[in-house]
Amino acid sequence: MDIEVLEKDAQATATKHVINMLQRPGQLEKVEQYKRRVSRKKVSVEAMLKTTMQSQLDGVCVGLGQLQFALQEIKTIKSNVNSIHDLLIDLPVLVKKLQNVREKHMQYSQYLTARENLKNLFSVPESVEKTKQWINEGKLLYAHHSLNDLENSRDDLLYEVHKVPGQAAADRILLKASFEEVETASSLLEKQLRLVLSRILNTVRKEPSVIVTALRIIDKEEKKDAFALQRQKQSGFLPPGRPKRWKDMVMEVLEKSVDQRIEGTQVEDRATNKMWLVVHLELTRQLIMEDLRVVKTLCEPCFPSHYNIVQRFVTMYHNSLSKHQQNVRSVALHCNEYVSMLSWVTNTYPGPELMKHPDLNINIQPLGPLLSPEVIDSLQNKYLQNMEDNYVEWMQKTLETEEHDWSAGVRPEDQEGHFHTAAPVIIFQMIDQNLQVTKTIGQDLTDKALILSMKQVKQYGLLYRGAIIAFKTRHFEDRSQVPYFTHYMITIVNNCMLFVELAQQLKQLYWRTDLLNRELTSVFSTLLKTFQDLRDEAANWLLEEAFLDLESHFQDLITTKWLATSMPVDTVCATLEDYFQDYVHLRPRNFDYVITKAVNLVTKRYIVTMFEKKMVLRTASERKTAGAKIVREAEQLGALFGRVAPDLIIGGAGCGTPLEAISALAEILRSDDKEILSLDLTALVNKFPDIKEDMLLS
């Protein structure tokens, strides 16, 4: 039924295919072409089927052949196993029959071994003494050859005893007692080898053959150790004193020797020499340099290649030096000792002065850092803490010197026409010196030191401000106490701006432009703002003294008496000009700032006086007279500031300066036309927002 269904499906499919091909009349002409195509496809499919069937049949034939061969092999194996089984049945009987032969063979083997070692057995004391003599004379090869014969005799005899389980324990004890001195001689040889290896760097310069001899002996003993351990796995017998592991002893002796050489470089301490650490580090550098040069040029040819002796020595020096530096670090270091340690560890040791020297050119990268990152951070933090303590101490002393100078009654120093003190330069020279030192260690430490320095300068600014306020307060309580108050306030204003300039110079020298350090940016901005704000405050306090002297004269302005005299303004101008003679000692930027503040204060004080209404102007004539006088006085004040700061104060009669507001108010005062007055008031309020309209109307 399944075949019939498949045939029907095939016929249906074929019918559909023919219908699809012959849907249009024009396709009937291609019937022959379609027939040929179908025929070719049929032939191709039949060929593929024949190939596939042939391949499958070939595989089946091969498989049948392999199965037949496997069957024959299995039959052969079964036959052999049966034969072996038949032979094993007779084996126990054969073992019993040959037991006597086996015992005789064991006895013969023991007798043969005893006969071969009989000479050594009776001459053990003499051979041991001869061996000891050769050891004392330094003839290590002869000594080792003699010792090797003695040990072989002992081990062979003990092995023969070991092979017989029932052998009397007395025989083993007797043999061990007979060869007891052999182990003593072996210990003496080991001791001599230790001595030779402990002096290897000196011996290899004079007698490299001694080192070669010692290493040959050690290699032979290593081979005997390997043989003894292998025999132990097979028979359970291990000769006395094995394994000697003299190769491990070599590394142990060399490591101890390296430790002693490193420790020997510390010949002084802080009590005998303040530069003890610098001396110690330099001696260490020279020692390692010379030792590794000897290892590379003289020791390497003496050692077998499998020792990899150069790298072994480098590792030993690295590890020993690391432990020693840890011990040195445990001692409380002082001041620049931290710098010496950090610079040596991070620059000198891995750099061209030591490991990367052309004579060595050793890559220590696989060994890791000499000191761990945690230890390096600890040293850096202690160094920075020490730096911070020094900053605090030095800046406090600098501030105390400043305060002493303020009260000493001595005029401040004049440099290029400007008053100054040495405080800013001293502080930034101290910072620059510290940063130059940290730069020799690394940029990361320099960045940290720069941030710390900026914080300390900013802190100094806060202390400086407190001292200035106390100085100013004390002066204004009794102005006779400080004869040079104005001069020192000028000095303070100059110093504040100098702090800003020096900080910016320091930034250009040490700030990495390729690194966006938010903390450094924030600290630097805060530092600049601290001293810029202090400069502004100090300038205000400087002018405060001048305006205290002017206060009574401003009170005389815009009064009935004022109309008849020019004395108040003349006095104000004369007083200001007198103070300005001292202000010329300000640095140019500070001078411009102070004069600008003075113009603003004079204008403000004059306008306030105008609004105090100390005089009533009832007639237009009085208003015109008063207005004209105010204009003249504004021009007089403008002329004063124009003389003092011609580049800052532009134009006459206060034109282009806050003094223009005084003239504008005067014009309003003497105006009669109400419409024009209203326009003038509006223009004045728009131009000078600080003047409110209600002030003018009242």
Side-chain angles (χ1 to χ4, degrees), residues 198-218:
S198 66
R199 301 172 180 174
I200 186 170
L201 295 177
N202 293 325
T203 305
V204 77
R205 290 181 172 96
K206 303 173 183 177
E207 296 180 280
S209 59
V210 175
I211 305 299
V212 174
T213 298
L215 293 172
R216 285 177 60 189
I217 293 171
I218 290 166

Side-chain angles (χ1 to χ4, degrees), residues 23 27 54 177 188 299 305 327 360 364 527 531 566 647 678:
Q23 284 182 349
Q27 291 177 323
Q54 186 65 40
L188 287 175
C299 289
S305 58
N327 294 334
L360 300 180
I364 60 170
L527 166 64
F531 282 97
S566 62
D647 296 332
S678 178

Side-chain angles (χ1 to χ4, degrees), residues 309-331:
I309 194 60
V310 175
Q311 189 58 41
R312 288 287 189 96
F313 259 107
V314 170
T315 303
M316 286 187 283
Y317 273 98
H318 183 85
N319 294 337
S320 177
L321 186 58
S322 179
K323 290 186 292 185
H324 183 68
Q325 297 291 53
Q326 293 277 13
N327 294 334
V328 172
R329 188 184 68 87
S330 64
V331 179

Side-chain angles (χ1 to χ4, degrees), residues 200-201 204-205 208 288-303 309-311 313-314 358-362:
I200 186 170
L201 295 177
V204 77
R205 290 181 172 96
I288 296 175
M289 181 78 179
E290 182 60 26
D291 285 0
L292 291 182
R293 187 186 286 118
V294 170
V295 169
K296 199 169 184 181
T297 57
L298 300 178
C299 289
E300 189 173 21
C302 295
F303 277 79
I309 194 60
V310 175
Q311 189 58 41
F313 259 107
V314 170
D359 291 347
L360 300 180
N361 195 23
I362 294 171

Side-chain angles (χ1 to χ4, degrees), residues 99-210:
Q99 181 63 33
N100 292 332
V101 177
R102 184 169 178 268
E103 291 175 358
K104 293 297 181 181
H105 172 74
M106 293 291 294
Q107 290 177 0
Y108 174 78
S109 177
Q110 291 178 352
Y111 293 152
L112 180 63
T113 303
R115 181 181 176 183
E116 289 176 352
N117 294 283
L118 192 60
K119 180 181 178 182
N120 291 334
L121 190 61
F122 286 107
S123 63
V124 167
E126 181 183 349
S127 297
V128 168
E129 288 302 318
K130 191 67 176 177
T131 301
K132 291 180 179 179
Q133 181 181 347
W134 278 328
I135 291 173
N136 294 330
E137 293 174 359
K139 298 177 180 178
L140 301 184
L141 275 180
Y142 291 108
H144 181 255
H145 181 72
S146 176
L147 178 64
N148 190 49
D149 289 342
L150 290 169
E151 287 182 340
N152 288 340
S153 298
R154 177 198 62 187
D155 297 344
D156 289 344
L157 290 169
L158 287 173
Y159 181 62
E160 291 300 327
V161 172
H162 173 77
K163 287 194 296 184
V164 182
Q167 188 75 28
D171 293 343
R172 289 195 292 271
I173 295 172
L174 179 62
L175 284 172
K176 287 184 179 181
S178 300
F179 288 94
E180 186 177 3
E181 289 298 312
V182 174
E183 290 191 42
T184 304
S186 178
S187 298
L188 287 175
L189 180 58
E190 180 183 1
K191 184 177 179 181
Q192 187 65 26
L193 290 173
R194 284 179 175 273
L195 182 62
V196 170
L197 292 169
S198 66
R199 301 172 180 174
I200 186 170
L201 295 177
N202 293 325
T203 305
V204 77
R205 290 181 172 96
K206 303 173 183 177
E207 296 180 280
S209 59
V210 175

